[in-house]
Amino acid sequence: MAQTTKIGNVTLNFDRYKGMDLYCDGQIEDELLDIVMNNDPSKFPEIIEKKGSWPVLYHLSEQRSNIIEWIPMSGSEKVLEVGSGCGAITGKLSQKSGSVTCVDLSKKRSEINAYRNKNCDNVTIHVGNFKDIEPDLPNDFDYIFLIGVFEYGQGYIGGEYPYDNFLKMLKKHLHAGGRIVIAIENRMGLKYLAGCREDHLGTYFSGIEGYNSESVARTFTRNGLIQIFKRCGINNYHFYYPYPDYKFMTMMHSDYYLPGLGELNDNVRNFDNSRMILFNEKYAFDGLVKDGMYQDFANSFEVIIGNEFPTVFSKYSNDRAAEFKIRTDISVDRAGRRIITKAPLCAEAVDHINSIRDAYEALKERYRGGDLEINDCQIDEKTGVASFSFVNGEPLSSLMDKCLAGDDIEGFEKLFREYLRRISYNEEMAVADYDLIFNNILVNGPIWTVIDYEWTYGKQIPTKEIAFRALYCYLEEDEKRRKIGIDKFYKELGLSEEEAKDLLEEEAGFQKYVTGNRMSMVEIWKKIGKKATVPAELLPPPEVPVFNPEAIKLYYDYGEGFSEENSKELDTEYDKNGKAMIELELDDNVMKLRLDPVSHPCIVSLTSVKWNDERISDDNSALGIHPNGAWLSDESIVFDSDDPWIEFDFTSDELKKRAVNRINIRLTVSSIQKKQAQDLVSYQYAGSDESDDEGLRFSKLKGLFKNGLKKGSTGVSDRKRKA
């Protein structure tokens, strides 16, 4: 008699379960089980933010299912998922197919899966070793999925050729015309060469060196996988390249649509382990792309064994509020023509897709008679998908990069002025594309075409503000672009320093608007606490200036901002090691305090901050601390400015209730070479496409503005409302 039980609508089958889980992550699985038993999946994003835990992020993030969400299904397919784990993929497969049969070794993980997906009435989970369960499985599956599983074939199957035998075993259970889908790390992925640890072992370079006989898992190169396929008689296979990797895929290329220069810039984050940074992966990827070698060094593979799909590229924008979650695809039709589509990823995003068609009509009208083309947009009323023509041309950003590479600043300036001329046409009309950045304009001779206008608003926006944002995004993508000398471009736009600061605050608010005020993946990465460190040997030569003690200067804000009138130099002096202790009694009407430690690039460690003798910590954050530098750790800040400062904000309701306003600050200042400081700032904020298509990484540009910008600014102007 079959040994089955039900959790919600999900059936668990224990016929082949031997009474003991062969692997277990311990207490974290109990925590995950408690979460899924007592919370709706809609609460998972909030829980992920609160926990700041890699296992919780890995098992519960919606983005895990991106790796299979793009695969077209009719809804009637019969699916086998081998190694279903805690169900990160199962729920999406249930939505897309007719039935899902899962196999997993762990009873506890299968229970997590079942509770998580308890409303799915087409899911059965078989608990036990795949080798034991396999004889009971039918032979007519349309799809077999191995997401992060094939590398464990040695443990599942055993024998001299476990991976070959695993594939041959799976092939027997495919329906004619069925497909096997494998997602796996590339043993020679660039991130491992650049200093990421091997995912399964947590050690450096173990995959690159070929593993040892005791390795629990083995990943493969592209050719290594092809050799396995050929030994199994498989000749119909197709490689896709998830980026940054298959776990949290945001983009996926293929052999038919490879990445362009500058496209791969989300490289530093590594959630599961701290890592080294041995070189800049963006520049290394650009070199591989240029030389046609990307496929061999992509971080991950997704292989479709069986007939190919028309989709050749996908990009996900689902690290957003539900109303903005979409997927952008490039597909090839039967005539060989490329077609671009944008599809809503949930019901809430349907209106957003429809608004893109409205944006097309409005922008077409604005630029009628001008020198800016708007790529056409059509909406399929039945599917809710927007389609666009594939436009040939080179991104304006790429043309600008070529000018910089040749030290042709004059050529760059000429392109920028042409950009201003074209986008300012009919500026007085009440319609504007807020996202008219250089990447979104393709240049083909005299024809400039806007290819993405998702963030178009029914309001007039000054050209200088749109151009400011275009420059902002351009600099964000590549540290080398700072050589343009940004100040002269802001001056040409007629932007004051204060206006630039306001626009940066507006940009930060826009990001929070797009993400629904949720944490970005970069913020979650920081909370998880994994570090990205540069080995000392790779840092610039230690030509560090000798620490020259200076007077510590304080500015007081009584509600009207900081001024020289309300400032003073302290008698407190640094000792020979750059340490100082500041003790202040503050008037009740002091709202903010600004501390200027020195007047050159440095690293400041706030070894202790006490408010009314109570130490400030992450759990006691009523006091806001806002530097114009980059946080290296919970205590240390690096400043690449000649005017470093740290602002202490006393305006929280909790602090206003205190009767005594006494603040004690212990700090240590270390002088640092400006280039070294800039590199550290760049490394700290590099590689984060954090919230949406624009790659908006607000923090990294703080050091460009003398007066800085408060960390965590929010708020969206009334312009940020759709037409």
Side-chain angles (χ1 to χ4, degrees):
M1 179 179 293
Q3 302 177 57
T4 62
T5 187
K6 282 261 192 180
I7 293 178
N9 294 326
V10 176
T11 300
L12 290 98
N13 185 303
F14 296 99
D15 286 356
R16 302 295 181 181
Y17 181 58
K18 295 182 178 179
M20 181 178 66
D21 285 359
L22 298 181
Y23 65 90
C24 177
D25 282 345
Q27 184 178 350
I28 185 59
E29 292 187 2
D30 295 327
E31 182 180 355
L32 289 168
L33 183 59
D34 179 69
I35 291 171
V36 299
M37 287 178 67
N38 296 295
N39 295 276
D40 185 81
S42 63
K43 298 292 184 182
F44 290 175
E46 181 181 341
I47 293 168
I48 289 169
E49 292 180 17
K50 183 178 179 181
K51 295 285 186 181
S53 159
W54 157 246
V56 172
L57 172 68
Y58 176 73
H59 290 294
L60 298 185
S61 173
E62 174 190 358
Q63 293 187 56
R64 285 287 312 285
S65 65
N66 289 356
I67 192 67
I68 58 94
E69 193 280 335
W70 67 276
I71 294 175
M73 293 188 188
S74 66
S76 62
E77 288 84 358
K78 191 172 181 177
V79 168
L80 172 64
E81 183 188 6
V82 180
S84 50
C86 295
I89 307 296
T90 307
K92 184 60 67 177
L93 290 176
S94 173
Q95 294 174 22
K96 294 174 66 66
S97 64
S99 67
V100 182
T101 300
C102 299
V103 178
D104 198 82
L105 283 166
S106 166
K107 178 183 178 184
K108 178 68 68 68
R109 291 195 174 202
S110 296
E111 289 173 343
I112 295 169
N113 188 351
Y115 277 108
R116 175 184 190 163
N117 297 301
K118 62 186 177 183
N119 295 325
C120 300
D121 60 4
N122 60 349
V123 173
T124 300
I125 305 174
H126 293 264
V127 183
N129 194 317
F130 175 75
K131 192 174 180 179
D132 299 329
I133 294 169
E134 182 267 332
D136 300 335
L137 297 173
N139 298 328
D140 59 349
F141 286 107
D142 298 293
Y143 282 94
I144 299 176
F145 287 91
L146 295 92
I147 309 301
V149 171
F150 189 64
E151 57 265 40
Y152 292 100
Q154 187 168 283
Y156 270 117
I157 307 302
E160 187 177 356
Y161 298 101
Y163 303 99
D164 300 42
N165 294 335
F166 196 6
L167 265 187
K168 290 175 182 178
M169 195 179 292
L170 291 167
K171 281 176 60 182
K172 294 189 302 184
H173 296 279
L174 269 187
H175 186 278
R179 297 176 174 94
I180 298 174
V181 180
I182 298 173
I184 187 171
E185 298 88 351
N186 177 7
R187 185 167 68 83
M188 287 290 177
L190 189 70
K191 72 176 187 178
Y192 305 115
L193 294 165
C196 281
R197 301 171 193 250
E198 204 278 344
D199 299 66
H200 311 91
L201 303 175
T203 52
Y204 289 113
F205 311 123
S206 47
I208 292 168
E209 293 174 350
Y211 299 106
N212 59 43
S213 59
E214 298 177 357
S215 297
V216 296
R218 291 173 179 269
T219 60
F220 302 92
T221 63
R222 186 176 186 275
N223 281 339
L225 286 172
I226 290 173
Q227 289 170 21
I228 293 173
F229 300 156
K230 289 184 175 179
R231 289 198 300 266
C232 294
I234 296 172
N235 296 307
N236 189 15
Y237 54 84
H238 307 276
F239 276 82
Y240 291 82
Y241 307 97
Y243 177 84
D245 57 30
Y246 80 84
K247 296 182 182 72
F248 294 103
M249 182 184 90
T250 57
M251 279 192 296
M252 183 191 69
H253 295 86
S254 68
D255 290 321
Y256 305 101
Y257 192 88
L258 293 168
L261 294 177
E263 196 173 345
L264 307 175
N265 51 36
D266 185 13
N267 295 304
V268 171
R269 289 184 280 118
N270 202 61
F271 294 95
D272 57 338
N273 274 300
S274 296
R275 62 161 296 180
M276 297 185 292
I277 300 176
L278 302 181
F279 54 78
N280 189 312
E281 288 162 70
K282 177 189 179 298
Y283 303 140
F285 267 132
D286 279 351
L288 294 170
V289 167
K290 186 175 180 181
D291 292 342
M293 299 173 64
Y294 171 67
Q295 297 98 310
D296 288 323
F297 294 94
N299 291 328
S300 289
F301 303 124
E302 183 169 18
V303 186
I304 310 298
I305 295 176
N307 293 332
E308 61 188 330
F309 297 115
T311 304
V312 296
F313 169 83
S314 281
K315 184 173 184 177
Y316 280 85
S317 301
N318 58 341
D319 187 15
R320 295 177 170 187
E323 62 190 293
F324 303 130
K325 290 182 178 180
I326 66 172
R327 185 187 78 238
T328 303
D329 291 338
I330 298 177
S331 302
V332 178
D333 66 14
R334 292 181 178 179
R337 294 171 300 190
R338 291 178 176 178
I339 300 169
I340 302 172
T341 57
K342 290 182 182 289
L345 290 174
C346 56
E348 295 90 332
V350 171
D351 287 344
H352 183 61
I353 292 292
N354 288 331
S355 74
I356 297 175
R357 170 68 186 180
D358 297 335
Y360 163 64
E361 295 291 351
L363 290 172
K364 185 174 70 170
E365 185 61 31
R366 170 177 168 174
Y367 289 105
R368 190 185 303 277
D371 290 325
L372 202 60
E373 300 291 326
I374 310 299
N375 192 23
D376 62 279
C377 173
Q378 303 294 328
I379 299 288
D380 186 322
E381 301 294 341
K382 194 172 183 180
T383 63
V385 173
S387 60
F388 310 81
S389 296
F390 187 87
V391 177
N392 290 311
E394 187 170 4
L396 177 58
S397 56
S398 178
L399 294 175
M400 291 174 155
D401 285 345
K402 288 179 179 179
C403 291
L404 296 185
D407 290 324
D408 182 10
I409 301 299
E410 184 178 337
F412 182 96
E413 293 173 351
K414 184 177 179 181
L415 285 171
F416 181 68
R417 293 190 183 103
E418 181 64 11
Y419 164 83
L420 290 178
R421 184 188 74 79
R422 295 191 185 225
I423 72 167
S424 62
Y425 186 78
N426 277 344
E427 181 181 20
E428 68 282 356
M429 284 189 66
V431 58
D433 179 2
Y434 183 63
D435 194 31
L436 204 47
I437 60 177
F438 307 143
N439 281 340
N440 286 340
I441 298 176
L442 290 185
V443 179
N444 189 355
I447 302 173
W448 290 32
T449 305
V450 181
I451 58 169
D452 195 339
Y453 37 85
E454 184 182 352
W455 303 104
T456 295
Y457 299 95
K459 186 176 179 71
Q460 190 268 343
I461 302 177
T463 295
K464 67 179 183 179
E465 295 186 14
I466 293 174
F468 169 88
R469 186 170 184 273
L471 286 167
Y472 166 85
C473 293
Y474 181 72
L475 293 181
E476 279 287 274
E477 292 174 355
D478 193 335
E479 183 75 15
K480 289 182 177 179
R481 290 170 174 171
R482 290 191 181 187
K483 68 188 290 184
I484 64 174
I486 192 65
D487 290 341
K488 63 184 175 184
F489 290 95
Y490 293 154
K491 185 176 181 180
E492 184 169 338
L493 292 173
L495 285 169
S496 68
E497 193 172 89
E498 192 62 31
E499 284 178 309
K501 175 183 173 182
D502 290 343
L503 289 173
L504 274 179
E505 289 184 347
E506 207 166 87
E507 180 64 26
F510 175 69
Q511 293 179 51
K512 292 300 182 185
Y513 167 62
V514 171
T515 61
N517 221 33
R518 296 242 70 97
M519 277 188 181
S520 69
M521 290 295 276
V522 166
E523 291 169 317
I524 293 172
W525 173 67
K526 287 178 179 291
K527 189 165 185 178
I528 288 174
K530 304 303 180 185
K531 303 299 181 183
T533 58
V534 183
E537 293 81 0
L538 298 180
L539 291 173
E543 299 173 6
V544 179
V546 176
F547 179 68
N548 182 24
E550 302 176 36
I552 300 172
K553 194 166 185 178
L554 298 178
Y555 291 82
Y556 297 87
D557 179 2
Y558 296 92
E560 297 181 352
F562 299 114
S563 66
E564 291 294 334
E565 182 181 353
N566 294 315
S567 68
K568 70 175 183 179
E569 291 187 355
L570 293 182
D571 295 332
T572 303
E573 295 182 354
Y574 293 103
D575 66 17
K576 63 179 182 179
N577 297 315
K579 295 182 178 181
M581 183 172 69
I582 301 169
E583 297 181 351
L584 299 171
E585 296 280 347
L586 301 176
D587 297 338
D588 289 341
N589 55 350
V590 173
M591 301 180 69
K592 297 175 184 177
L593 174 72
R594 175 176 144 179
L595 186 157
D596 288 25
V598 288
S599 58
H600 57 260
C602 61
I603 294 176
V604 175
S605 295
L606 297 174
T607 53
S608 174
V609 179
K610 293 183 179 180
W611 174 255
N612 292 345
D613 299 323
E614 181 179 355
R615 186 178 176 90
I616 300 300
S617 66
D618 288 342
D619 298 325
N620 176 18
S621 55
L623 173 62
I625 302 176
H626 309 298
N628 70 330
W631 289 93
L632 293 177
S633 68
D634 292 342
E635 296 182 351
S636 297
I637 311 159
V638 60
F639 297 91
D640 61 357
S641 168
D642 290 326
D643 182 24
W645 51 257
I646 305 170
E647 179 187 284
F648 299 87
D649 187 341
F650 313 123
T651 58
S652 71
D653 292 339
E654 183 178 340
L655 292 185
K656 288 178 182 176
K657 296 175 185 176
R658 307 290 177 90
V660 180
N661 294 336
R662 183 169 56 252
I663 186 169
N664 294 9
I665 304 169
R666 292 177 183 269
L667 72 158
T668 302
V669 177
S670 303
S671 299
I672 190 172
Q673 202 176 36
K674 187 161 191 172
K675 176 63 168 64
Q676 188 175 3
Q678 290 172 339
D679 288 343
L680 286 171
V681 170
S682 174
Y683 283 130
Q684 184 67 4
Y685 292 109
S688 55
D689 232 1
E690 52 189 58
S691 64
D692 52 44
D693 291 348
E694 288 70 50
L696 308 176
R697 299 185 294 281
F698 161 66
S699 304
K700 187 178 170 188
L701 276 192
K702 288 188 291 188
L704 292 180
F705 297 90
K706 182 179 179 182
N707 288 333
L709 185 61
K710 297 178 183 65
K711 185 179 180 184
S713 298
T714 58
V716 182
S717 74
D718 60 359
R719 113 151 47 103
K720 306 295 185 296
R721 297 292 180 264
K722 281 202 199 149

